Amino acid sequence: MQQAMEMIAQELENEIQCYRELLEVVSTERDILLSGDHKRLAETTEQKIGLGSRLARAQESRRQAMQALVPPQEGREARLGDLTPLLPVDRRGEFKAAVREAGLLAQRLSHMSQANRSFLEEALDTVDNLLAIITGRKQGATYGANGQTRPAQGRSIMAREA
C-alpha cells in the first residue's frame, strides 16, 4: 500500500508540473493572439498536444494505482480525497495541499483556455466579416448623399470596373 501511495503522490506531482507548463504555453498563446503574430500558434498547439498527452498518461497511471487501493463506489471512481485516510497523519497535510494545487491549476488552465478560445473566435469572426464585405457576400446598408440609409450596391469591393 505504501508503494502505491508513493506512486500516486509522484503522479500527482507530474500532473501539477504538466499543469504549470500548460499554463505557460496558454499564456504564450494569449500573447500571440493579442499581438496578431498568428504564425507562432502552430508551435504552441504542438506544445499543448505534447503536454496534454503527458498529463493524460500521468492521470491514467494515477487512476489505476488509486483503483487498486480504493475500488469504485456506487458508480463513481475513487477520488484523491478518498486516499487521505490511508496516509500517515504527518503526510496528510502535504497530500491535501497537492490535491488542492492540482485542482486550482486545472481550473485556472480551463479559464485561460476559454479566454483564448474567445479571442480566437472573435478574430475569426472579424476576418469572416471582412471577407464577406470584400467579396460582396454581406449586403449591409450604406448612406446616401443626405445621410439617409439605402441598400448596399450589389457589387463587390473587389469587382473590377470595365
Side-chain angles (χ1 to χ4, degrees), residues 31-151:
D31 294 343
I32 290 169
L33 289 168
L34 293 175
S35 72
D37 185 17
H38 300 130
K39 292 180 275 185
R40 294 178 40 214
L41 281 177
E43 178 185 324
T44 61
T45 300
E46 288 176 21
Q47 290 174 332
K48 285 183 355 184
I49 290 170
L51 288 167
S53 295
R54 211 171 95 202
L55 177 62
R57 285 191 303 272
Q59 288 174 335
E60 183 57 32
S61 177
R62 176 185 49 78
R63 282 187 192 109
Q64 288 176 355
M66 286 174 60
Q67 286 179 350
L69 291 176
V70 181
Q73 303 170 7
E74 299 177 27
R76 76 168 179 88
E77 289 187 21
R79 297 182 181 153
L80 287 166
D82 298 337
L83 300 175
T84 305
L86 303 176
L87 289 166
V89 175
D90 63 326
R91 302 249 351 252
R92 290 180 184 176
E94 176 186 332
F95 185 75
K96 284 181 181 180
V99 170
R100 188 172 28 258
E101 181 180 8
L104 290 172
L105 289 171
Q107 187 176 37
R108 187 170 164 215
L109 179 63
S110 176
H111 290 302
M112 288 178 71
S113 293
Q114 182 62 35
N116 284 359
R117 182 180 10 231
S118 294
F119 290 144
L120 191 55
E121 287 173 356
E122 286 175 20
L124 290 172
D125 286 345
T126 300
V127 169
D128 190 47
N129 285 334
L130 289 173
L131 286 173
I133 291 168
I134 290 171
T135 61
R137 285 187 300 155
K138 190 168 192 163
Q139 301 294 325
T142 60
Y143 293 96
N146 296 330
Q148 304 97 338
T149 58
R150 64 179 183 186

Side-chain angles (χ1 to χ4, degrees), residues 17 19 21 26 44 76 78 86 93 96 115 126 155 157 160-161:
Q17 185 59 37
Y19 283 130
E21 291 176 36
V26 169
T44 61
R76 76 168 179 88
L86 303 176
K96 284 181 181 180
T126 300
R155 303 180 76 162
I157 293 174
R160 291 186 180 177
E161 297 292 326

